[in-house]
Amino acid sequence: ASPPPAHVAITAARLIAPEQGKVIEHPLVLVDGDRIREVRSGGDVPDGYEKIDLGAATLLPGLIDCHVHLGGDPTLSSGNYYEDVLKRSVIDDAVTAHVFARRTLEAGFTTVRNLGSGAYLDVALRNAIDAGRIPGPRILAATLPLGATGGHADDTTGFSPYIQFHGATGVADGVEAVRRQVREDVKRGADVIKFMASAGVLSAEESVGAPQYSQAEMDAIVDESHRWGRKVAAHAHGAEAIKMAIKAGVDSVEHSSLIDDEGLKLARQHGTWLVFDVYNDDYILSEYARLGYPATMVEKEKKVGRLQRESFRRAVQAGEKLAFGTDAGVYPHGWNGKQFAKMVEWGMTPMQAIQAATTNAAELLGRADRIGAVKPGYYADLVAVSGDPLADVATLERVGFVMKGGAVVRNEVAPKP
Ligand code: ARG
C-alpha cells in the first residue's frame, strides 16, 4: 500500500451505512490521513482533496471477519495429513502467514480476529502489520487456544505416546492451570482469549460436540480473561458445551452448530454473540478427502454441517446477536466473502449479513468506536464493489476497491485517469 495522502475525497453511486441500516445515495467521503473526516450525500469536492471517483460502485465499511486462522491454509497441504503433521513446523506456518494476511486484506477484510495460531505467530504478524512492514488487516490475536488434555486444542492426540512433540501449546487442565495459561497468553500479547469448550471436527476425539472443560474451568477462564480486560471466544459445537460457555460468560460462541432452544434463550439473556462459520461445510466435504485428511474427520463434518446451517436459521429467526466469522484457514484465505451468500441462503437479509460483518463484528471485538462504520473519526477502512450487494450479496466475493487506514490497497473500480 502506498503511504496515505493527507486529504482524499471518495465518491461512488451509493454507500451502505450498516449502523443506520440504510443507503446513502451519491456519497462523498472525506478522508484525512488515516481517519474519516466527513460523510455527505452529494456536493462538491472541497479544495485540497485528491479525488477518487468509484463511479457506479457501492461503498461499504471495511469488512470484519471474527474467526480466522492465518497460520494455516489448505493450499499448504501436501495431500497427506500425517505427513504434514510430522514434517511441517510452526516456522513453516509463520513464513507463509503474511501471504494469507495480504489475501485477506485484498478481499476487503480490513480487520480480523485470529482465533488461534501456534507459537504466537499471530502476535508477530499483527505487530509487523501495525508497524507498516507488511500489508495485512488489523489483527486481534488470540495466540494459543486453551484446551483440555486430549481435546480439540491438543494436537498430539491419537499419536503414539513414544513420539515427543515440542513447543508451546495452550493445553491446560484444572482451574489453576487455565488461569495460568490465560495469563501466559496475555503476557505474550493476546488481545482476546480463545478456548475449546467442546470437541471439534478437525481433531482426533470422536464426539464433535462433547464438552471438554468443566463448568468450573470455563468459569475460571472467563473470570481471569475479563480481569485482564480480554474478551473470550469459545469454540463449541455441542448443545451442552454451548450452554456451559454462555453461563460462564463468554463474549462469543464460535461454530454454535448444535445450539438448542434453551441455548438460544440463554444467549439472548446473557447478550452472547453467536458466530456461525456456515460456508465451511461445503469446502470440507468437497476438498478434505482430496487433501488427505483422515476419513473420521470428514465423517464428523457430516454430523454437524447441515445441522449448523439449520441452527443458524433458527438463530436469525430468534433475533440473536450474530457476528460474521468464517474459520478461514480451514478454507482458503481471501475466500472469506463466500460466506455472505450462505448467510442469505439460510435466512438473513443482505443488510443483516453486511451488519454481521461490520457493526456487529466491531461491537463483538470491542472496537465499535473506530471500525465497522463509515463515520467521522473512524478509521478510513473502506471497500467498494461494482453492483449492489443489497440486490446480490455475492458481489462481496469480488471486492474491487480496498482502503485501509486511508491507504489504497487495491483499486480496480475507479476508471484510470
Ligand atoms: N475448526 C472447526 C472444527 O474443527 C471447523 C468446523 C467446520 N465445520 C462446520 N460445519 N462449520 O471443529
Side-chain angles (χ1 to χ4, degrees):
S2 48
H7 304 292
V8 180
I10 304 167
T11 52
R14 62 192 80 78
L15 164 68
I16 297 177
E19 78 285 6
Q20 305 171 48
K22 65 173 220 200
V23 173
I24 295 168
E25 301 292 337
H26 305 295
L28 171 66
V29 180
L30 301 182
V31 174
D32 286 356
D34 66 348
R35 303 279 174 158
I36 291 159
R37 178 198 174 94
E38 203 182 317
V39 185
R40 302 183 199 158
S41 178
D44 296 328
V45 173
D47 286 347
Y49 278 79
E50 180 190 318
K51 190 168 170 169
I52 299 178
D53 180 14
L54 300 175
T58 304
L59 263 176
L60 306 86
L63 303 170
I64 303 168
D65 191 332
C66 300
H67 191 144
V68 303
H69 297 279
L70 289 166
D73 190 276
T75 57
L76 297 172
S77 161
S78 69
N80 182 325
Y81 176 82
Y82 289 105
E83 185 174 319
D84 289 339
V85 172
L86 294 172
K87 291 190 177 171
R88 288 185 57 85
S89 81
V90 69
I91 297 179
D92 294 297
D93 293 343
V95 165
T96 45
H98 71 101
V99 174
F100 305 127
R102 178 199 274 260
R103 279 182 200 165
T104 303
L105 177 62
E106 288 177 347
F109 288 80
T110 49
T111 302
V112 298
R113 195 168 62 151
N114 193 74
L115 286 187
S117 286
Y120 309 101
L121 80 80
D122 49 2
V123 170
L125 195 60
R126 175 197 70 200
N127 292 348
I129 291 167
D130 287 349
R133 299 189 209 288
I134 53 170
R138 305 177 194 284
I139 294 177
L140 278 84
T143 73
L144 300 174
L146 278 74
T149 292
H152 188 60
D154 190 352
D155 296 335
T156 66
T157 308
F159 285 83
S160 159
Y162 299 99
I163 299 176
Q164 295 295 312
F165 290 86
H166 297 278
T169 84
V171 173
D173 300 295
V175 165
E176 290 313 312
V178 297
R179 285 190 188 275
R180 213 207 64 78
Q181 185 59 41
V182 169
R183 293 173 189 167
E184 183 73 24
D185 280 3
V186 171
K187 169 180 167 179
R188 302 295 172 194
D191 301 300
V192 55
I193 298 298
K194 163 87 176 289
F195 78 92
M196 306 307 185
S198 85
V201 174
L202 304 175
S203 52
E205 197 267 0
E206 65 198 15
S207 76
V208 193
Q212 293 190 329
Y213 269 134
S214 67
Q215 189 67 57
E217 288 169 314
M218 295 193 204
D219 292 350
I221 292 169
V222 174
D223 177 63
E224 194 65 35
S225 303
H226 285 171
R227 189 205 316 288
W228 291 87
R230 301 305 193 276
K231 291 180 186 264
V232 185
H235 158 111
H237 289 288
E240 188 56 32
I242 291 169
K243 286 183 272 196
M244 290 168 75
I246 295 172
K247 285 182 195 150
V250 301
D251 298 278
S252 67
V253 175
E254 307 297 311
H255 309 298
S256 315
S257 311
L258 306 177
I259 192 167
D260 60 14
D261 288 339
E262 201 189 336
L264 291 173
K265 193 172 158 201
L266 268 180
R268 282 198 302 282
Q269 282 167 358
H270 284 76
T272 315
W273 290 96
L274 302 178
V275 177
F276 288 86
D277 52 330
V278 286
Y279 174 74
N280 242 343
D281 182 56
D282 281 8
Y283 191 84
I284 293 172
L285 292 185
S286 77
E287 302 301 322
Y288 268 46
R290 184 181 63 82
L291 293 172
Y293 272 74
T296 49
M297 294 186 190
V298 179
E299 285 309 309
K300 282 200 285 178
E301 178 58 35
K302 290 180 186 160
K303 291 188 186 163
V304 289
R306 166 133 201 136
L307 289 175
Q308 182 188 36
R309 290 170 179 185
E310 290 170 3
S311 299
F312 174 77
R313 186 162 51 201
R314 279 188 295 117
V316 173
Q317 284 163 358
E320 300 291 334
K321 291 166 68 173
L322 298 170
F324 184 99
T326 63
D327 210 0
V330 170
Y331 71 88
H333 294 287
W335 291 20
N336 314 59
K338 285 180 183 280
Q339 190 175 281
F340 286 109
K342 279 287 157 207
M343 294 166 91
V344 170
E345 183 187 333
W346 288 87
M348 277 185 162
T349 63
M351 181 62 91
Q352 285 176 319
I354 291 166
Q355 287 167 331
T358 52
T359 36
N360 293 8
E363 207 182 313
L364 166 55
L365 269 44
R367 299 282 192 278
D369 58 343
R370 62 203 105 147
I371 57 170
V374 182
K375 287 206 318 205
Y378 278 49
Y379 282 122
D381 293 355
L382 294 158
V383 302
V385 294
S386 13
D388 180 3
L390 295 178
D392 176 11
V393 85
T395 56
L396 295 174
E397 295 168 24
R398 296 172 296 277
V399 167
F401 173 84
V402 181
M403 171 180 273
K404 180 193 159 204
V408 175
V409 174
R410 73 187 292 177
N411 185 3
E412 285 109 57
V413 174
K416 299 283 170 291

